[in-house]
Amino acid sequence: PLIRLLSVAMPIPGAAPISVYALVGAPALIGAILVARAIGASRQDLGLGRPARPVEVVLSTLIGVPLGLLARGVVGLAPISVEGVHPILFVAVAVPFVVLLEELVFRGLLQRVATSRSRLIGIVAPSVLYAAMYFGSGSASVVLFMGITGIIFGVMVSRQHSLWGVLGAHMILRVLVQI
């Protein structure tokens, strides 16, 4: 995946781990936006427009609570290294360069393109790629959990035609893994 390739290609000696997310995520996010423009995808196409059922989207963010608790407590997903980082700075970096970037790439772009083949492929293929990002964890349970999370998020996006609920759920998951 592009994010992992950039992190290897852009070694940043001495940089605080949290800043690496921004330094690697910024070009990846710009790249995702450029791809969206190149394929003619509007904000609505990507799931970033106004949701048709806002209450359902807001309520769906709550899936992040059990996912976050499972990720940290049962699965053992490691938190992002943020020693000495203020929680507001963590959120300011994690939301655009982890949460938004991953959801824009996997659910906004890949799912949108793969769904043109079939709804099932549109949900499963990006979820498999999403899980593959976690091979570096060395944990089969983390990879499996992230694959299942990807499928849950894919179904949510397919049903709601919106990334907003998934963005909220992913943010809650990430925050719960951190604490």
Side-chain angles (χ1 to χ4, degrees), residues 40-100:
S42 69
R43 289 181 65 215
Q44 193 71 33
D45 293 336
L46 297 172
L48 294 171
R50 184 178 175 154
R53 297 182 300 269
V55 173
E56 181 181 338
V57 169
V58 170
L59 290 174
S60 69
T61 65
L62 297 177
I63 191 74
V65 174
L67 289 175
L69 295 173
L70 279 171
R72 180 71 188 261
V74 177
V75 176
L77 182 63
I80 294 171
S81 178
V82 292
E83 188 175 317
V85 174
H86 193 281
I88 293 174
L89 177 60
F90 166 74
V91 171
V93 171
V95 168
F97 302 119
V98 176
V99 174
L100 176 62

Side-chain angles (χ1 to χ4, degrees), residues 26-42:
L29 188 56
I30 291 168
I33 292 167
L34 291 174
V35 167
R37 289 184 70 192
I39 65 171
S42 69

Side-chain angles (χ1 to χ4, degrees), residues 98-175:
V98 176
V99 174
L100 176 62
L101 176 59
E102 289 180 2
E103 295 312 326
L104 180 61
V105 169
F106 291 101
R107 257 64 65 190
L109 290 169
L110 292 175
Q111 183 167 330
R112 177 183 183 270
V113 171
T115 299
S116 67
R117 301 294 251 172
S118 86
R119 183 172 182 241
L120 181 62
I121 291 171
I123 292 170
V124 173
S127 299
V128 168
L129 293 173
Y130 182 66
M133 279 197 346
Y134 291 88
F135 283 158
S137 72
S139 168
S141 62
V142 168
V143 173
L144 179 63
F145 175 79
M146 296 314 290
I148 292 168
T149 299
I151 289 171
I152 291 167
F153 286 175
V155 168
M156 288 170 58
V157 168
S158 180
R159 178 175 155 67
Q160 298 170 354
H161 304 288
S162 175
L163 280 183
W164 295 114
V166 166
L167 287 168
H170 193 152
M171 184 177 70
I172 291 169
L173 183 158
R174 184 47 62 192
V175 167

